[in-house]
Amino acid sequence: MNLEQLGSFVEVASLGNFTRAADKLHLAQPSLSRQISALELDLGAELFHRARSGSTLTTAGEALLPLARRMLADAASVRHELAELAGLGRGRVRLGATPTLCISLVAEVLSAFHAAHPAIELHLSEQGSRLLLDELAAGELDLALITTSDAAAAERFTVTPLLVEELVVISSIASPPVTPRATIALDEVAALPQIVFSSTYDLRRTTDAAFRAAGLTPDVVLEGAEMDALLRFVERGLGVAIVPAMVLIDRPGLRSVRLGGPALTRTISLARPADVAPTAAVEVMQHTIAATATAFAARAGTSMRRASIVR
Amino acid sequence: MNLEQLGSFVEVASLGNFTRAADKLHLAQPSLSRQISALELDLGAELFHRARSGSTLTTAGEALLPLARRMLADAASVRHELAELAGLGRGRVRLGATPTLCISLVAEVLSAFHAAHPAIELHLSEQGSRLLLDELAAGELDLALITTSDAAAAERFTVTPLLVEELVVISSIASPPVTPRATIALDEVAALPQIVFSSTYDLRRTTDAAFRAAGLTPDVVLEGAEMDALLRFVERGLGVAIVPAMVLIDRPGLRSVRLGGPALTRTISLARPADVAPTAAVEVMQHTIAATATAFAARAGTSMRRASIVR
DNA sequence: CATATCGATAGCTTATCTGCATCGTAATGA
DNA sequence: TCATTACGATGCAGATAAGCTATCGATATG
């Protein structure tokens, strides 16, 4: 018996459906099935009546449910109490991140952090990597999530690589301009109607450089978009775009193809002031970011991987 | 955070000493150290002040302790409640085992089972494998732990191999008749003063056959001993003996040497009637036996391994 | 009768955990 | 003062378990 199994059990009990519970738990359905059956084997009793009209609790399941809830509640209490003790009852974290990260990784980080420590004040600065580092140096930020092509910052800051992420080509799932395939070459992309980011994006520099290096001129139908707008345009079939794999998470309206040849990647790193000792709240935020990044990498499959040097 | 870590934490907290807690938990000290530090990392707080004069709880540790205890108690309650539900509030298990097994594996099985299900009546029959199978056939036993050299029983019973165990040569740790070494040859053993079991033991048949096959005549100083007596004689330096590796667990007064050449082994199997459906209590006993056997194999190192076919 | 839904199973890969050996440090005794 | 001992931490290798994808079987539903 372990707490994850109990959590899974409670979720299935309240939803009455393995598949949906698995979704909610960010778990594949077979994994959930196995967790429950492991728990059943361990306890020596069936916990659910499996029927197509939903899974309902057996007598044993009903006996387990209240205690399972209490154990999970106790676990949450422990975290809460220790957080209070660590001085996380109040405090502030000022996080900076690039726009691409804000709608994906950062969203999850902040919601997880806020759920765990609701009393901590959160500030977010959405800027390009360059500006973020300036703010960090000026003491206006505690932490910054940046994309490090140039690791020139390593002098003044402690920079920890988190994720290495491929850039992929996205298109509408409704009217893809090309047939589905494993990879697409850069010159093929150049021939497709393309939507590109505003030139303030770090990403824009990377893709521009890649096309220029290949002697290609992309067929840009729309320029200057911010991330969210760009994704909507692509979803509507206005064109394709080159984006980090991460933004695809929870975007079912998009299809993606990996770039063939030398894959374009970006490294997402966490920067913090080298000299200042982090507060308790900031330290916990670092952990949250590291854990969330790992979870993203696991969920995204091969298009993203944990950077070798983690914390 | 998981229940094992919490159990370890509680144990360390009450003993104030990692090494001793590890012993009590049947865990190596490094493993315990890692469990605690994993828990500390997870909770973001040190739980113990490590000092040579003992490890004491930090404020965070003190906050955790009562909740940890409650969660563990809840886990125990769950098992207890479900056991009641499964009809384990009363019942009976009649277990048979060979004498060698009774003082080692069976002792642990029965104490674990009784701790979990105190209301179940336990009967133990200590006999040779042959007689045990007769009792099983006569319906006088529910389960029998036997050593299967001859798998002739497979017809009438369901026989599940549990462990394959080497026979080793033991001697007193105080006055070993030979210098410590990796293995010892059978002819060397024959030359040493030896204590052998009563001829009613299955083991006796195995060792006699091995010596005979090698054309050797062992120097028997004492014959006819029962297991416990034999071990005491060996501890006092009266002679050496050939015993299953299992009996060495928790016998610090003995040193053992593995037999060189073709190692003598015995396979410990669980036999049950093929036709009768087991009661809930008997089924749980089977699980307990399987789990304990696995734990033994893990603890005993290379001289014992789990049989390939395990439930 | 074809299809969709739902949970279980198989095979594989990856992450975690355990144990052994060893280290570093602080208290103890000669 | 220095060797010894006790205790917890760490590096490494092997074993265990947990995850995912793909697929299956069974049961409702159109």
Side-chain angles (χ1 to χ4, degrees), chain A residues 77 180 239 276:
Chain A
S77 300
V276 185

Side-chain angles (χ1 to χ4, degrees), chain B residues 34-305:
Chain B
R34 297 187 115 97
Q35 277 200 341
I36 299 294
S37 52
L39 184 60
E40 289 177 327
L41 182 68
D42 178 31
L43 297 176
E46 300 263 307
L47 298 172
F48 293 103
H49 295 296
R50 272 86 156 172
R52 21 260 123 242
S53 52
S55 297
T56 57
L57 289 171
T58 59
T59 317
E62 278 175 15
L64 173 57
L65 187 57
L67 279 167
R69 283 196 205 278
R70 188 165 90 168
M71 292 170 73
L72 292 169
D74 280 351
S77 300
V78 162
R79 291 188 190 284
H80 191 255
E81 280 195 29
L82 295 203
E84 287 280 331
L85 257 170
L88 294 170
R90 66 210 115 95
R92 180 187 63 170
V93 178
R94 297 163 306 172
L95 176 64
T98 58
T100 30
L101 291 173
C102 283
I103 63 160
S104 47
L105 182 70
V106 170
E108 193 148 327
V109 164
L110 292 184
S111 77
F113 187 93
H114 182 70
H117 310 293
I120 303 283
E121 215 177 302
L122 292 173
H123 296 250
L124 178 63
S125 170
E126 195 168 336
Q127 306 283 351
S129 296
R130 201 74 51 91
L131 285 173
L132 287 175
L133 290 177
D134 290 344
E135 294 188 358
L136 204 60
E140 293 164 12
L141 289 179
D142 302 305
L143 297 169
L145 279 164
I146 59 176
T147 57
T148 36
S149 351
D150 44 1
E155 303 280 323
R156 300 176 296 161
F157 308 108
T158 304
V159 177
T160 312
L162 291 175
L163 290 170
V164 176
E165 179 185 28
E166 275 185 34
L167 302 186
V168 298
V169 179
I170 56 170
S171 57
S172 164
I173 213 161
S175 56
V178 292
T179 56
R181 68 192 56 197
T183 65
I184 189 168
L186 202 59
D187 56 352
E188 288 181 87
V189 179
L192 295 171
Q194 190 176 153
I195 305 173
V196 299
F197 287 110
S198 149
S199 54
T200 60
Y201 277 56
D202 295 326
L203 266 176
R204 176 69 183 280
R205 224 188 320 276
T206 309
T207 53
D208 280 358
F211 282 118
R212 204 166 37 247
L216 298 168
T217 309
D219 171 19
V220 175
V221 296
L222 180 63
E223 194 267 356
E226 300 286 324
M227 173 62 75
D228 204 44
L230 176 138
L231 292 176
R232 280 178 209 284
F233 291 144
V234 173
E235 271 171 357
R236 303 258 172 104
L238 215 68
V240 301
I242 301 179
V243 301
M246 183 180 286
V247 305
L248 286 169
I249 289 180
D250 295 332
R251 280 275 180 174
L254 293 172
R255 109 172 31 251
S256 77
V257 185
R258 305 171 71 170
L259 279 168
L264 294 178
T265 64
R266 66 169 185 175
T267 300
I268 296 160
S269 302
L270 181 65
R272 55 183 189 280
D275 44 1
V276 184
T279 66
V282 169
E283 206 160 307
V284 173
M285 177 61 87
Q286 283 181 233
H287 287 164
T288 308
I289 289 170
T292 308
T294 303
F296 260 61
R299 246 188 284 160
T302 52
S303 61
M304 205 185 299
R305 63 175 194 283

Side-chain angles (χ1 to χ4, degrees), chain A residues 47-132:
Chain A
L47 298 172
F48 294 103
H49 295 295
R50 273 87 159 170
R52 15 266 126 238
S53 52
S55 297
T56 56
L57 288 172
T58 61
T59 318
E62 279 175 14
L64 173 57
L65 188 56
L67 278 166
R69 283 197 206 277
R70 188 165 91 169
M71 292 171 74
L72 292 168
D74 280 352
S77 300
V78 162
R79 293 188 189 284
H80 191 255
E81 280 195 30
L82 295 202
E84 286 281 330
L85 256 170
L88 295 169
R90 67 208 115 95
R92 180 187 61 172
V93 178
R94 298 163 305 173
L95 176 64
T98 59
T100 30
L101 291 174
C102 283
I103 63 159
S104 47
L105 183 68
V106 170
E108 193 147 327
V109 165
L110 292 185
S111 78
F113 186 94
H114 183 71
H117 309 294
I120 302 282
E121 216 178 299
L122 292 174
H123 295 250
L124 178 63
S125 170
E126 194 168 336
Q127 306 284 350
S129 295
R130 201 73 53 90
L131 286 173
L132 288 176

Side-chain angles (χ1 to χ4, degrees), chain A residues 162-178:
Chain A
L162 291 175
L163 290 171
V164 176
E165 181 185 27
E166 273 186 36
L167 301 186
V168 298
V169 179
I170 57 170
S171 57
S172 163
I173 212 160
S175 55
V178 292

